[in-house]
């Protein structure tokens, strides 16, 4: 857990508490949080230790919704927007933690690959970053696409744009908010994303936090 500024898609610039959940079988080749993939008891630590880490690691902690809220309060976090990410957060039922956070004045957002059923309250903002043809072999669910408040799609080459368009046809979903996000801030990917966004009236997500050099 950490407090920072959301750097992607619709909530860019919003002070946010990031709650990163452990575990992900999807297997994206460009993943920048591969330390979250495995839930290994060897790396289990206390909840307090998850906010003290100085670098990426495989360490994780088990916590209830009440534990999470209590830690937010004890840390003195002032942000009121909570981004639940991973890993793949939708491996878990997120209703308990989202409902408790809503009851205590927070808004919530989930960032998911769309490959697991989304178990969350209706008022939770859902960002689906559809992971198509990844190593784990998981399909992007039509129900996840239908639930999405926004689509945020990483792109590096034209085939990634084509895969997204094919997914829209396959699922019958035509989202109002579509963001393209250049993978690794590469110049060629950024140019492709800008060109495509202009042509299709989509939006650009540039991972502002990475350009600023913050978490």
């Amino acid at each position: 857990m950490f407090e920072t500024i959301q750097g992607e898609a619709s909530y860019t610039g919003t002070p946010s508490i990031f709650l990163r959940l452990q575990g992900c079988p999807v297997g994206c080749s460009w993943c920048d949080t591969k330390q979250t993939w495995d839930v290994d008891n060897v790396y289990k630590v206390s909840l307090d230790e998850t906010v003290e880490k100085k670098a990426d690691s495989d360490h994780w902690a088990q916590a209830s919704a009440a534990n999470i809220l209590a830690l937010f309060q004890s840390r003195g976090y002032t942000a009121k927007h909570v981004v639940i990410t991973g890993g793949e957060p939708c491996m878990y039922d997120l209703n308990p933690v989202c409902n408790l956070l809503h009851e205590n004045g927070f808004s919530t957002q989930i960032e998911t690959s769309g490959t697991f059923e989304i178990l969350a309250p209706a008022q939770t903002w859902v960002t689906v970053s559809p992971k198509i043809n990844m190593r784990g072999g998981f399909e992007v669910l039509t129900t996840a696409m239908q639930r999405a408040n926004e689509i945020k799609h990483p792109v590096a080459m034209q085939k990634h744009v084509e895969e997204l368009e094919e997914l829209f046809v396959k699922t019958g979903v035509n989202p109002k908010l579509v963001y393209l996000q250049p993978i690794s801030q590469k110049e060629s990917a950024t140019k492709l994303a800008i060109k495509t966004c202009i042509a299709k009236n989509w939006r650009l997500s540039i991972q502002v936090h990475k350009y600023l050099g913050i978490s």
Side-chain angles (χ1 to χ4, degrees), residues 69-88:
L69 177 61
L71 189 56
F72 286 179
Q73 294 168 336
S74 69
R75 297 290 296 181
Y77 291 151
T78 56
K80 289 297 182 180
H81 184 65
V82 179
V83 182
I84 304 173
T85 182
E88 173 44 69

Side-chain angles (χ1 to χ4, degrees), residues 79-129:
K80 289 297 182 180
H81 184 65
V82 179
V83 182
I84 304 173
T85 182
E88 173 44 69
C90 290
M91 291 173 60
Y92 308 98
D93 181 354
L94 301 176
N95 279 294
V97 66
C98 288
N99 282 326
L100 184 61
L101 290 171
H102 295 164
E103 290 166 6
N104 284 271
F106 294 89
S107 58
T108 58
Q109 176 184 1
I110 296 168
E111 296 188 349
T112 174
S113 65
T115 57
F116 286 79
E117 183 180 358
I118 298 167
L119 303 175
Q123 63 264 49
T124 294
W125 182 271
V126 175
T127 302
V128 172
S129 182

Side-chain angles (χ1 to χ4, degrees), residues 15-78:
S16 303
I17 302 166
F18 275 71
L19 176 60
R20 189 176 296 284
L21 303 188
Q22 191 77 4
C24 183
V26 179
C28 304
S29 60
W30 64 81
C31 179
D32 57 5
T33 55
K34 290 184 179 180
Q35 74 278 2
T36 66
W37 284 10
D38 299 317
V39 183
D40 189 335
N41 281 328
V42 171
Y43 296 107
K44 187 176 180 180
V45 296
S46 70
L47 187 59
D48 285 335
E49 291 179 78
T50 65
V51 296
E52 299 297 342
K53 71 175 190 142
K54 303 302 181 184
D56 290 338
S57 75
D58 297 317
H59 292 103
W60 60 277
Q62 192 165 11
S64 67
N67 294 151
I68 291 167
L69 177 61
L71 189 56
F72 286 179
Q73 294 168 336
S74 69
R75 297 290 296 181
Y77 291 151
T78 56

